[in-house]
Amino acid sequence: MHIVVCIKQVPDSAQIRVHPVTNTIMRQGVPTIINPYDLFSLEEALRLRDRIGAKVTVLTMGPKMAETALRKALSLGADRAILLTDRRFAGSDTLATSFALASAIGKIAETEPVDMVFCGKQTIDGDTAQVGPGIARRLGLQQLTYIARIDSVDPAGREIVVQRRAEGGVQVLRTALPCMVTMLEGSNTIRFGTMPDMFRAARAVIEEWDAAAAGIEDVMKCGLRGSPTVVKRVFAPKPNAKKAEQIEVEGKSAEDIALAAIDTLFAARPSLADDMLRQAAE
Amino acid sequence: MSEQKQPASRASLKAKLDEKLLAYQGVWVFIELERGQVHSVSWELIGEGRKLADAQGVELSGVLVGPSGETTRAAAQDAFAYGADNVYLVEDPLLADYRNEPYTQVLTKLVNKYKPEILLLGATNLGRDLAGSVATTLATGLTADCTELAIDMEGRSLAATRPTFGGSLLCTIHTLNFRPQMATVRPRVMAMPERQEGRGGRIIEDGIDMAESSIITKVLDFIPDRDTNKSQLAYADIVVAGGMGLGKAENYALVQELAAVLGAETGGSRPLVQKGWLTADRQIGQTGKTIRPKLYIAAGISGAIQHRVGVEGADTILAINTDPNAPIFDFAHYGIVGDALKILPALTAAFRKRLAVNRLAS
Ligand SMILES: Cc1cc2nc3c(=O)[nH]c(=O)nc-3n(C[C@H](O)[C@H](O)[C@H](O)COP(=O)(O)OP(=O)(O)OC[C@H]3O[C@@H](n4cnc5c(N)ncnc54)[C@H](O)[C@@H]3O)c2cc1C
Ligand SMILES: Nc1ncnc2c1ncn2[C@@H]1O[C@H](COP(=O)(O)O)[C@@H](O)[C@H]1O
């Protein structure tokens, strides 16, 4: 078994700040992390390796600094890491990103056939959940998104059975390898790396591939030029003109405040009051 | 989606639409029918699609894919009642359960045959799974999780606005020289349209070019969620929610007690879910549920932008916060500057009293 896990390095959005005057993103000093959703997929790949034996290759497309994310994945136990980096990939939307990643996976598979590709459910910066399906489509992989559980994988029989989250329940699906899987958050917990893996990761030479190395001939399909979507405007949400009407609290007990709040609500929204009273009367 | 795109000279930015793309006309909404039920996001999108179609003076069509039978036909009538002019209908036993392969095949084929200019899908698990495959197959642009859709009259293009950078900013995305222009929208972001009983439309039937033997993925079983306590948060009329201001997990009971008196659903901010005080299906906000209740009571929630985008559709918001400068007071309608641990029980008692008086009177 050979599993490729696509991970993306993202800014830790909990720490992103917007400049209050210029409304631009202040990226300086914002730490980067592996997209949190990708870790559920990486862990699942590593578990499969523990269970049935496999090689786990991690792949990322990004600037040179994305190497940090790959090193982190190696320290968690991944076997091989490839950084897909080329100035021509800059400005890629999901269509162009899935093109580049699918090309690279195709290239990887030339020497070591790929049985499964794992992607994150979505990224926290792009947040589109489109790159995984894009890769699956391009490589003709069976598509298994929002997987809550992998019941079984049979590498010899080329079969996989999974539980997929759907509206109101889970679908139990059986399909064939090769396939693309995205794991649901909370489906597992990422392991701690072992000491030997940490040392190995620190010393590892990360393979760097440019467009040519990934077997991409048509660079028109890459980056900005290969992206059908165009960002026309980035702006801050407009502040509401009106602030909340405050219920008077000075020197009043909680009981009085609560009663005043209800009176204010009911006076302003008679229909709400009617609905609530009717419901209570039933 | 990329983050920092500088407009550059490239095919997608050409001022005039390619001749062959002019054939693409009309607005389509994919109607999500799963296990006999249409997801209400589809009707919300029919409502929104109506506005887009009217702005362009074109027709609005629903695409309905499902098993043959009554339910599927009834859903087509519903689509007309909510505002569709046409329904493209593909009925086949193969389409009983959602599977990526056959659904992608059907939708791609319909698009290539009838050429819609805009194609909208719900940003549900099903919609996102399908939209990604279809957009890749058609090699067109897809904008996910939009919060606002409009027609840019100048270029006749779809202006799709969505949160970016972790929700702190919004961006407007266009798909200029590719068709159809695809977008997904999350449930409850758009308002539910009014039903017009008896409104009719045209049904255009089509088929699937696949046999079961050529579909690799098989559905072995469907295990319905057993949890009868499943949250109806997105559709509740009244929602009471708590945030970190509650201080500790046990205090969440104060939220539940008020909700019980009001017959309301309960929810909370993301940190509560991260701390394990709440299950993920009760998270409200950008990465949780979008709600549109008549009344939303937020206790001890600061009102960060990622929370705000999930509640802005509420008719009335009452916020309780100790900090008079908390951002939640910037968009709540009514505010109480006070300790949620004291105000919540007082509200519970006061509502109980007000609502009980009526019971005696009636
Ligand atoms: C990519 C991304 C996605 C996110 N998605 C979501 C999302 O979907 N939903 C979401 O909610 N958040 C989301 N967040 C997190 C969001 O940015 C905020 O961190 C979060 O909403 C804050 O939660 P809070 O208001 O409960 O806590 P805090 O920000 O800690 O605020 C607590 C508030 O309680 C008040 N308070 C303290 N004591 C009391 C008291 N005794 N009585 C009354 N008030 C009191 C304080 O004044 C303060 O305003 C997301 C963040 C990122 C980066
Ligand atoms: N630049 C990238 N490099 C590697 N994997 C990526 C990249 N962008 C997206 N992915 C993968 O695709 C998933 C979905 O991304 P998105 O469509 O941006 O939400 C991510 O969780 C990753 O697994």
Side-chain angles (χ1 to χ4, degrees):
Chain A
M1 280 268 288
H2 183 205
I3 304 174
V4 173
V5 184
C6 295
I7 61 172
K8 187 180 183 191
Q9 186 178 52
V10 296
D12 187 348
S13 62
Q15 303 194 37
I16 289 186
R17 293 285 173 272
V18 179
H19 193 282
V21 179
T22 58
N23 268 331
T24 48
I25 295 290
M26 303 193 289
R27 284 175 168 263
Q28 286 90 340
V30 175
T32 56
I33 50 174
I34 296 180
N35 176 40
Y37 292 108
D38 298 352
L39 294 176
F40 299 110
S41 286
L42 176 60
E43 174 61 24
E44 202 60 30
L46 294 171
R47 285 187 185 187
L48 281 178
R49 182 185 64 185
D50 297 346
R51 230 157 72 196
I52 57 176
K55 174 173 179 177
V56 175
T57 298
V58 282
L59 170 68
T60 194
M61 179 182 98
K64 181 90 172 112
M65 67 182 268
E67 196 189 289
T68 326
L70 291 174
R71 232 175 258 289
K72 174 78 188 169
L74 287 174
S75 78
L76 293 170
D79 300 296
R80 180 186 179 191
I82 299 170
L83 172 63
L84 192 57
T85 187
D86 194 312
R87 280 187 21 229
R88 284 170 293 192
F89 295 147
S92 296
D93 72 356
T94 53
L95 199 73
T97 302
S98 70
F99 172 73
L101 289 170
S103 302
I105 296 168
K107 196 72 192 174
I108 294 170
E110 281 179 14
T111 48
E112 279 178 294
V114 174
D115 304 286
M116 294 178 79
V117 174
F118 276 93
C119 284
K121 182 184 110 168
Q122 66 197 64
T123 50
I124 60 166
D125 60 344
D127 204 13
T128 74
Q130 287 162 17
V131 170
I135 292 171
R137 197 73 201 154
R138 291 176 185 284
L139 294 173
L141 311 174
Q142 292 303 308
Q143 178 169 318
L144 300 169
T145 54
Y146 308 104
I147 301 307
R149 216 179 102 142
I150 296 183
D151 282 339
S152 65
V153 178
D154 174 3
R158 311 291 301 153
E159 217 175 74
I160 177 169
V161 177
V162 299
Q163 299 190 7
R164 173 175 190 275
R165 166 74 10 217
E167 206 60 44
V170 292
Q171 287 182 316
V172 182
L173 298 175
R174 187 186 64 214
T175 193
L177 301 180
C179 62
M180 191 284 304
V181 177
T182 75
M183 296 301 295
L184 216 54
E185 65 274 21
S187 49
N188 57 39
T189 316
I190 187 74
R191 61 193 56 198
F192 289 103
T194 62
M195 278 314 246
D197 280 335
M198 287 185 199
F199 287 126
R200 184 174 57 90
R203 282 195 309 264
V205 180
I206 306 282
E207 295 171 59
E208 264 181 45
W209 288 14
D210 60 8
I216 297 172
E217 281 160 17
D218 189 358
V219 290
M220 286 300 282
K221 286 188 176 165
C222 294
L224 209 50
R225 281 181 300 190
S227 301
T229 58
V230 181
V231 178
K232 275 219 167 163
R233 197 160 82 96
V234 177
F235 57 103
K238 52 175 175 303
N240 267 21
K242 231 176 113 224
K243 288 211 164 208
E245 176 184 334
Q246 292 292 348
I247 308 293
E248 182 58 52
V249 294
E250 264 328 295
K252 294 209 294 182
S253 68
E255 289 67 36
D256 289 344
I257 297 169
L259 287 168
I262 296 173
D263 289 343
T264 309
L265 269 182
F266 281 8
R269 302 277 194 277
S271 67
L272 177 70
D274 289 348
D275 287 351
M276 287 173 96
L277 291 166
R278 195 172 330 108
Q279 205 196 338
E282 275 165 13
Chain B
M1 210 207 57
S2 72
E3 292 153 22
Q4 296 164 312
K5 278 208 254 164
Q6 302 300 322
S9 76
R10 55 183 167 122
S12 59
L13 288 181
K14 273 196 301 197
K16 258 186 66 194
L17 208 54
D18 276 349
E19 201 65 30
K20 63 178 199 309
L21 297 181
L22 289 173
Y24 286 78
Q25 285 246 338
V27 179
W28 280 19
V29 171
F30 177 79
I31 298 172
E32 193 173 307
L33 174 71
E34 200 169 20
R35 306 189 70 76
Q37 205 142 35
V38 175
H39 197 297
S40 53
V41 71
S42 306
W43 305 141
E44 292 158 17
L45 286 179
I46 289 277
E48 191 61 21
R50 186 71 263 167
K51 292 181 211 158
L52 298 176
D54 290 346
Q56 287 185 296
V58 297
E59 293 196 324
L60 170 68
S61 307
V63 181
L64 185 57
V65 179
S68 331
E70 295 268 313
T71 329
T72 309
R73 295 269 161 178
Q77 294 309 317
D78 286 339
F80 297 140
Y82 285 115
D85 300 310
N86 310 301
V87 167
Y88 291 90
L89 179 68
V90 181
E91 284 181 301
D92 197 292
L94 292 186
L95 301 165
D97 289 288
Y98 173 72
R99 284 181 291 176
N100 178 270
E101 261 174 298
Y103 272 63
T104 300
Q105 196 272 328
V106 165
L107 189 53
T108 310
K109 175 182 132 181
L110 289 175
V111 167
N112 284 330
K113 192 161 162 186
Y114 297 103
K115 304 193 183 337
E117 195 169 10
I118 293 173
L119 172 57
L120 308 177
L121 298 93
T124 56
N125 285 6
L126 190 164
R128 285 176 150 210
D129 185 274
L130 180 61
S133 302
V134 170
T136 310
T137 314
L138 297 169
T140 192
L142 165 59
T143 308
D145 282 14
C146 302
T147 50
E148 210 183 304
L149 299 173
I151 301 291
D152 181 45
M153 285 325 268
E154 218 179 307
R156 266 184 85 87
S157 68
L158 178 70
T161 300
R162 72 185 303 268
T164 181
F165 294 113
S168 41
L169 292 176
L170 297 168
C171 66
T172 303
I173 297 177
H174 293 243
T175 297
L176 293 181
N177 235 330
F178 297 83
R179 292 292 181 270
Q181 308 163 84
M182 293 180 61
T184 65
V185 178
R186 291 177 40 185
R188 301 302 271 157
V189 168
M190 303 299 176
M192 188 78 180
E194 293 281 338
R195 259 187 92 92
Q196 290 170 261
E197 295 309 332
R199 191 179 177 282
R202 196 161 62 104
I203 291 185
I204 300 139
E205 292 191 50
D206 215 300
I208 175 171
D209 305 331
M210 276 183 129
E212 183 58 51
S213 56
S214 65
I215 304 174
I216 295 170
T217 300
K218 306 292 176 197
V219 181
L220 302 183
D221 198 2
F222 185 89
I223 309 166
D225 292 329
R226 239 173 317 154
D227 198 358
T228 44
N229 192 18
K230 207 174 149 263
S231 99
Q232 293 299 321
L233 195 53
Y235 300 94
D237 279 341
I238 305 177
V239 174
V240 185
M244 288 311 290
L246 293 176
K248 52 180 182 194
E250 296 83 82
N251 291 336
Y252 191 76
L254 300 176
V255 168
Q256 289 167 322
E257 284 156 19
L258 176 56
V261 168
L262 298 177
E265 281 286 344
T266 53
S269 62
R270 182 164 85 160
L272 269 58
V273 174
Q274 287 169 329
K275 284 189 171 290
W277 300 3
L278 264 190
T279 51
D281 62 336
R282 294 200 181 269
Q283 180 186 320
I284 298 170
Q286 188 199 335
T287 45
K289 295 262 161 47
T290 301
I291 60 172
R292 300 182 79 89
K294 291 185 180 136
L295 175 62
Y296 177 51
I297 301 179
I301 295 180
S302 59
I305 181 67
Q306 295 90 355
H307 187 80
R308 175 177 171 170
V309 294
V311 304
E312 273 178 322
D315 291 344
T316 306
I317 300 174
L318 169 66
I320 307 158
N321 199 302
T322 41
D323 176 6
N325 296 316
I328 194 148
F329 291 131
D330 293 343
F331 60 93
H333 304 91
Y334 299 99
I336 299 176
V337 176
D339 183 351
L341 305 182
K342 297 205 176 79
I343 302 290
L344 279 173
L347 276 174
T348 305
F351 267 116
R352 193 178 277 134
K353 215 153 119 192
R354 277 284 189 278
L355 299 175
V357 164
N358 180 259
R359 191 169 315 170
L360 293 178
S362 65

mmCIF file of all heavy atoms in Angstrom, chain A residues 35-50:
data_model
loop_
_atom_site.group_PDB
_atom_site.id
_atom_site.type_symbol
_atom_site.label_atom_id
_atom_site.label_comp_id
_atom_site.label_asym_id
_atom_site.label_seq_id
_atom_site.Cartn_x
_atom_site.Cartn_y
_atom_site.Cartn_z
ATOM 1 N N ASN A 35 -2.738 22.637 8.352
ATOM 2 C CA ASN A 35 -4.189 22.787 8.394
ATOM 3 C C ASN A 35 -4.775 21.732 9.338
ATOM 4 O O ASN A 35 -4.574 20.531 9.126
ATOM 5 C CB ASN A 35 -4.729 22.608 6.971
ATOM 6 C CG ASN A 35 -6.240 22.646 6.926
ATOM 7 O OD1 ASN A 35 -6.867 23.440 7.620
ATOM 8 N ND2 ASN A 35 -6.812 21.768 6.122
ATOM 9 N N PRO A 36 -5.476 22.144 10.396
ATOM 10 C CA PRO A 36 -5.926 21.196 11.425
ATOM 11 C C PRO A 36 -6.718 20.004 10.876
ATOM 12 O O PRO A 36 -6.578 18.876 11.356
ATOM 13 C CB PRO A 36 -6.806 22.038 12.335
ATOM 14 C CG PRO A 36 -6.439 23.450 12.075
ATOM 15 C CD PRO A 36 -5.831 23.527 10.711
ATOM 16 N N TYR A 37 -7.552 20.225 9.852
ATOM 17 C CA TYR A 37 -8.337 19.121 9.291
ATOM 18 C C TYR A 37 -7.446 18.074 8.621
ATOM 19 O O TYR A 37 -7.808 16.901 8.536
ATOM 20 C CB TYR A 37 -9.345 19.649 8.266
ATOM 21 C CG TYR A 37 -10.442 20.486 8.869
ATOM 22 C CD1 TYR A 37 -10.481 21.861 8.687
ATOM 23 C CD2 TYR A 37 -11.445 19.899 9.630
ATOM 24 C CE1 TYR A 37 -11.495 22.633 9.242
ATOM 25 C CE2 TYR A 37 -12.454 20.662 10.195
ATOM 26 C CZ TYR A 37 -12.480 22.029 9.994
ATOM 27 O OH TYR A 37 -13.486 22.781 10.537
ATOM 28 N N ASP A 38 -6.281 18.507 8.125
ATOM 29 C CA ASP A 38 -5.383 17.564 7.452
ATOM 30 C C ASP A 38 -4.800 16.554 8.430
ATOM 31 O O ASP A 38 -4.425 15.439 8.053
ATOM 32 C CB ASP A 38 -4.248 18.313 6.746
ATOM 33 C CG ASP A 38 -4.759 19.261 5.661
ATOM 34 O OD1 ASP A 38 -5.969 19.206 5.377
ATOM 35 O OD2 ASP A 38 -3.960 20.038 5.130
ATOM 36 N N LEU A 39 -4.725 16.956 9.711
ATOM 37 C CA LEU A 39 -4.128 16.058 10.700
ATOM 38 C C LEU A 39 -4.985 14.816 10.935
ATOM 39 O O LEU A 39 -4.471 13.738 11.217
ATOM 40 C CB LEU A 39 -3.896 16.808 12.024
ATOM 41 C CG LEU A 39 -2.845 17.929 11.942
ATOM 42 C CD1 LEU A 39 -2.758 18.676 13.262
ATOM 43 C CD2 LEU A 39 -1.465 17.358 11.575
ATOM 44 N N PHE A 40 -6.324 14.966 10.806
ATOM 45 C CA PHE A 40 -7.187 13.780 10.961
ATOM 46 C C PHE A 40 -6.910 12.793 9.821
ATOM 47 O O PHE A 40 -6.940 11.571 10.011
ATOM 48 C CB PHE A 40 -8.665 14.188 10.964
ATOM 49 C CG PHE A 40 -9.017 15.108 12.101
ATOM 50 C CD1 PHE A 40 -9.330 16.435 11.863
ATOM 51 C CD2 PHE A 40 -9.016 14.656 13.413
ATOM 52 C CE1 PHE A 40 -9.650 17.296 12.909
ATOM 53 C CE2 PHE A 40 -9.333 15.505 14.471
ATOM 54 C CZ PHE A 40 -9.648 16.834 14.215
ATOM 55 N N SER A 41 -6.643 13.331 8.644
ATOM 56 C CA SER A 41 -6.355 12.467 7.507
ATOM 57 C C SER A 41 -4.961 11.853 7.616
ATOM 58 O O SER A 41 -4.773 10.675 7.323
ATOM 59 C CB SER A 41 -6.496 13.260 6.202
ATOM 60 O OG SER A 41 -7.870 13.480 5.933
ATOM 61 N N LEU A 42 -4.008 12.647 8.071
ATOM 62 C CA LEU A 42 -2.658 12.113 8.250
ATOM 63 C C LEU A 42 -2.683 10.987 9.291
ATOM 64 O O LEU A 42 -2.105 9.923 9.078
ATOM 65 C CB LEU A 42 -1.703 13.235 8.693
ATOM 66 C CG LEU A 42 -0.274 12.806 9.023
ATOM 67 C CD1 LEU A 42 0.403 12.157 7.814
ATOM 68 C CD2 LEU A 42 0.566 14.002 9.508
ATOM 69 N N GLU A 43 -3.379 11.226 10.395
ATOM 70 C CA GLU A 43 -3.449 10.205 11.449
ATOM 71 C C GLU A 43 -4.096 8.926 10.911
ATOM 72 O O GLU A 43 -3.630 7.823 11.186
ATOM 73 C CB GLU A 43 -4.221 10.735 12.659
ATOM 74 C CG GLU A 43 -4.499 9.713 13.771
ATOM 75 C CD GLU A 43 -3.244 9.131 14.409
ATOM 76 O OE1 GLU A 43 -2.179 9.781 14.357
ATOM 77 O OE2 GLU A 43 -3.318 8.000 14.958
ATOM 78 N N GLU A 44 -5.163 9.071 10.142
ATOM 79 C CA GLU A 44 -5.843 7.886 9.618
ATOM 80 C C GLU A 44 -4.912 7.098 8.687
ATOM 81 O O GLU A 44 -4.891 5.869 8.709
ATOM 82 C CB GLU A 44 -7.121 8.305 8.878
ATOM 83 C CG GLU A 44 -8.159 7.226 8.756
ATOM 84 C CD GLU A 44 -8.680 6.678 10.091
ATOM 85 O OE1 GLU A 44 -8.712 7.437 11.085
ATOM 86 O OE2 GLU A 44 -9.043 5.490 10.123
ATOM 87 N N ALA A 45 -4.124 7.822 7.907
ATOM 88 C CA ALA A 45 -3.163 7.162 7.016
ATOM 89 C C ALA A 45 -2.119 6.405 7.846
ATOM 90 O O ALA A 45 -1.768 5.257 7.534
ATOM 91 C CB ALA A 45 -2.485 8.193 6.117
ATOM 92 N N LEU A 46 -1.660 7.045 8.915
ATOM 93 C CA LEU A 46 -0.651 6.395 9.754
ATOM 94 C C LEU A 46 -1.245 5.164 10.453
ATOM 95 O O LEU A 46 -0.582 4.138 10.621
ATOM 96 C CB LEU A 46 -0.097 7.385 10.788
ATOM 97 C CG LEU A 46 0.710 8.563 10.192
ATOM 98 C CD1 LEU A 46 1.034 9.599 11.271
ATOM 99 C CD2 LEU A 46 1.997 8.069 9.529
ATOM 100 N N ARG A 47 -2.508 5.256 10.841
ATOM 101 C CA ARG A 47 -3.164 4.100 11.478
ATOM 102 C C ARG A 47 -3.292 2.939 10.503
ATOM 103 O O ARG A 47 -3.117 1.782 10.878
ATOM 104 C CB ARG A 47 -4.560 4.483 11.977
ATOM 105 C CG ARG A 47 -4.496 5.304 13.224
ATOM 106 C CD ARG A 47 -5.866 5.544 13.800
ATOM 107 N NE ARG A 47 -5.728 6.448 14.936
ATOM 108 C CZ ARG A 47 -6.699 6.771 15.758
ATOM 109 N NH1 ARG A 47 -7.898 6.264 15.588
ATOM 110 N NH2 ARG A 47 -6.475 7.597 16.754
ATOM 111 N N LEU A 48 -3.609 3.267 9.242
ATOM 112 C CA LEU A 48 -3.710 2.210 8.247
ATOM 113 C C LEU A 48 -2.351 1.539 8.081
ATOM 114 O O LEU A 48 -2.239 0.324 7.946
ATOM 115 C CB LEU A 48 -4.174 2.775 6.903
ATOM 116 C CG LEU A 48 -5.673 3.038 6.787
ATOM 117 C CD1 LEU A 48 -6.002 3.645 5.429
ATOM 118 C CD2 LEU A 48 -6.463 1.736 6.970
ATOM 119 N N ARG A 49 -1.308 2.365 8.099
ATOM 120 C CA ARG A 49 0.038 1.806 7.981
ATOM 121 C C ARG A 49 0.320 0.866 9.152
ATOM 122 O O ARG A 49 0.840 -0.230 8.964
ATOM 123 C CB ARG A 49 1.081 2.922 7.952
ATOM 124 C CG ARG A 49 2.493 2.395 7.773
ATOM 125 C CD ARG A 49 3.528 3.483 7.875
ATOM 126 N NE ARG A 49 3.540 4.073 9.209
ATOM 127 C CZ ARG A 49 4.293 5.110 9.543
ATOM 128 N NH1 ARG A 49 5.051 5.694 8.630
ATOM 129 N NH2 ARG A 49 4.269 5.581 10.762
ATOM 130 N N ASP A 50 -0.054 1.291 10.358
ATOM 131 C CA ASP A 50 0.160 0.439 11.529
ATOM 132 C C ASP A 50 -0.619 -0.868 11.397
ATOM 133 O O ASP A 50 -0.158 -1.924 11.823
ATOM 134 C CB ASP A 50 -0.307 1.147 12.813
ATOM 135 C CG ASP A 50 0.508 2.409 13.096
ATOM 136 O OD1 ASP A 50 1.573 2.568 12.459
ATOM 137 O OD2 ASP A 50 0.066 3.216 13.935
#
